[in-house]
Amino acid sequence: MLRELKKQRTRQAISDVATRLFVERGFDEVTIAQIAQAAGVAKMTVTNYFPRKEDLVFDVHEEFAGFLAGAMSGEEPVLAAARRAYFEALSRRDALIGFSSADFARMIRTSPPLLARLRELHEEREVALAAALAESYDEMTARIVAAQLTGVYRLLFEEVQWRAAEGQRPETIARAAGKYARRAFDVLAAGLA
């Protein structure tokens, strides 16, 4: 237990140092060696915790990928679960739906490697959701529903991130995202009901 806690703290400390350096200097300008030095750990320690440099930015990638699948309890219809999960995350101003500081959002939006990794994360989210839905639907139906829901989540994520990069206040972003989310889920309702 103590060892696991120490690992979590080390991982978080490395991630925090990396984020600070990336925001200050730019993602492409910072090396793993610089992160290791600033965090007071060996370069190998950084790569053991974060095999890809991009994962230092997206340190919650497992939570991101599993977010929608985790919302599917089987107790409520799929669309209702996706809508509920989104609005709960919206009320928390959750990073899993795009909320961040303006500097962090701009860093992602200006880095081709980070944008590519973000696309991969959205794809991982879709695969995870399709797998969760395959328990209730045939494989193709599960993939179709997952593609539609994660497509909406991706569009909403991009809207939140764009507004954050522009320096809009979280309350302003949340109002706009809520409006767009209601419209998006209403559009899906006819097809997924």
Side-chain angles (χ1 to χ4, degrees), residues 16 29 86 109 169 174:
D16 291 346
E29 305 305 318
Y86 187 83
R109 294 178 63 78
R169 294 168 24 112

Side-chain angles (χ1 to χ4, degrees), residues 69-125:
M72 301 298 135
S73 66
E75 301 296 317
E76 61 186 324
V78 171
L79 184 59
R83 182 188 292 257
R84 175 191 46 74
Y86 187 83
F87 281 99
E88 287 174 358
L90 185 65
S91 71
R92 294 188 305 269
R93 313 300 191 253
D94 201 315
L96 297 178
I97 62 166
F99 280 88
S100 69
S101 70
D103 290 338
F104 190 84
R106 279 192 291 272
M107 174 189 66
I108 292 171
R109 294 178 63 78
T110 59
S111 172
L114 291 178
L115 289 172
R117 180 62 177 135
L118 184 57
R119 279 190 299 275
E120 289 175 0
L121 291 173
H122 284 295
E123 290 171 7
E124 288 176 23
R125 182 180 272 180

Side-chain angles (χ1 to χ4, degrees), residues 37-106:
Q37 182 179 11
V41 298
K43 185 178 171 184
M44 182 66 93
T45 302
V46 175
T47 57
N48 283 341
Y49 283 102
F50 301 96
R52 296 170 62 171
K53 184 178 170 186
E54 295 83 1
D55 290 337
L56 284 155
V57 174
F58 300 112
D59 62 341
V60 295
H61 66 276
E62 290 176 9
E63 294 90 337
F64 185 95
F67 178 74
L68 255 174
M72 301 298 135
S73 66
E75 301 296 317
E76 61 186 324
V78 171
L79 184 59
R83 182 188 292 257
R84 175 191 46 74
Y86 187 83
F87 281 99
E88 287 174 358
L90 185 65
S91 71
R92 294 188 305 269
R93 313 300 191 253
D94 201 315
L96 297 178
I97 62 166
F99 280 88
S100 69
S101 70
D103 290 338
F104 190 84
R106 279 192 291 272

